[in-house]
Amino acid sequence: MITSLQNEKVKEWVKLQKRKGRRESGKFLIEGFHLVEEAYHSNWEIAEIIVEEGLDYSGWHHQFFTITVSRKVLQHITRTETPQGIAAVIKMKEPKEIEGHSVLLIDSIQDPGNLGTIIRTADAAGFDMVMLGDGTVDLYNDKVIRATQGSLFHLPVLQADLLKKIPKLQSGGYTVAASALTDAVSFKEMPANEKTALIIGNEGAGVRNELIDAADQSIKIPIYGQAESLNVSVAAGILMYYING
């Protein structure tokens, strides 16, 4: 059992708290029974399972290399005050090709909670794929992972240069629609198409102008009250459900 925070294995896990460490290793850390179960049932590769001393667990977990640690170590590596007693190191996997009939493109979303909620909503709305553009918070940030509630493991998420992907989507038969506040039509006026790609943008600045220019059309959600705008995750949910409705 590992009890020391200076243990080399613990230092290796701590590196997964940073984007650089995750990218260099090709792995990321998740915590809690729900997320570990979702990773397993979605056939993501589990490198190792970490369990707290005294945890009573059974089932499929025993198929994997398992390390027992003290509560102090688990709190240290997960940055969670009250961890559930189980964590896992997961190997990243990233799709190479565009797939499905509905694709969400995310431009520079910076809040981890927003990104995780949007991915969870894309999963619920039946979207087939998500693309993360430059300037977007890291997919494997612990707050993003928790906010997805496991949806991270259900649909392919691709890191991409959106300006390069838009022409490929268009040549593949997708109508590309950008969410915008000006020079845009109501989303209800968007013509139906079998294949649609939706671009949503940064919390404050919105979708970059060059992406709006590259899109086939700009759409907006009408504001009927006095609110200046909608939260980006709420707006994304309305548009995705309309597209797949």
Side-chain angles (χ1 to χ4, degrees):
M1 185 181 75
I2 298 175
T3 58
S4 171
L5 301 185
Q6 302 307 312
N7 183 280
E8 289 304 313
K9 197 67 179 173
V10 175
K11 292 179 180 178
E12 180 183 310
W13 293 330
V14 168
K15 288 180 180 178
L16 300 182
Q17 294 174 355
K18 302 290 186 182
R19 186 172 193 158
K20 180 182 178 182
R22 294 190 289 266
R23 292 296 166 188
E24 287 178 350
S25 67
K27 300 172 185 175
F28 62 100
L29 189 72
I30 59 175
E31 186 272 329
F33 282 100
H34 176 68
L35 286 174
V36 174
E37 291 276 351
E38 290 293 333
Y40 172 71
H41 291 299
S42 301
N43 295 317
W44 280 58
E45 187 173 351
I46 298 174
E48 57 198 5
I49 290 179
I50 305 157
V51 297
E52 183 182 337
E53 175 191 16
L55 179 72
D56 182 18
Y57 76 102
S58 60
W60 59 263
H61 307 86
H62 295 290
Q63 302 173 33
F64 299 94
F65 179 64
T66 302
I67 301 173
T68 303
V69 300
S70 66
R71 186 168 187 79
K72 179 176 71 172
V73 168
L74 193 62
Q75 288 174 319
H76 183 63
I77 66 173
T78 62
R79 298 195 290 196
T80 304
E81 288 187 15
T82 54
Q84 294 180 26
I86 188 167
V89 176
I90 309 295
K91 291 189 178 180
M92 296 177 181
K93 67 176 180 180
E94 190 169 294
K96 302 300 181 186
E97 302 296 332
I98 298 169
E99 54 186 79
H101 294 276
S102 49
V103 179
L104 180 66
L105 282 62
I106 296 178
D107 176 36
S108 302
I109 294 291
Q110 296 177 342
D111 181 86
N114 280 338
L115 179 60
T117 299
I118 290 167
I119 291 172
R120 181 180 178 184
T121 307
D123 181 18
F127 263 57
D128 300 302
M129 185 176 207
V130 175
M131 293 187 190
L132 305 183
D134 297 335
T136 297
V137 63
D138 185 30
L139 173 65
Y140 300 109
N141 174 294
D142 61 316
K143 292 179 182 177
V144 174
I145 292 172
R146 286 199 296 272
T148 70
Q149 287 290 303
S151 288
L152 159 69
F153 303 116
H154 301 163
L155 75 172
V157 181
L158 175 67
Q159 312 268 352
D161 181 336
L162 300 185
L163 270 176
K164 292 181 179 178
K165 289 296 182 183
I166 289 173
K168 291 183 178 180
L169 286 161
Q170 290 164 329
S171 64
Y174 289 84
T175 295
V176 179
S179 174
L181 296 177
T182 58
D183 299 321
V185 301
S186 169
F187 68 94
K188 293 182 180 180
E189 296 177 36
M190 184 171 60
N193 188 18
E194 184 182 351
K195 300 171 78 173
T196 304
L198 170 67
I199 312 172
I200 60 169
N202 175 266
E203 289 90 343
V207 177
R208 286 178 291 148
N209 288 333
E210 52 264 46
L211 295 177
I212 292 174
D213 292 341
D216 296 304
Q217 65 181 133
S218 297
I219 58 174
K220 65 181 179 181
I221 301 170
I223 301 291
Y224 300 115
Q226 297 181 53
E228 182 180 340
S229 62
L230 289 168
N231 171 276
V232 65
S233 58
V234 172
I238 292 169
L239 294 173
M240 285 190 286
Y241 268 92
Y242 179 77
I243 287 168
N244 271 359

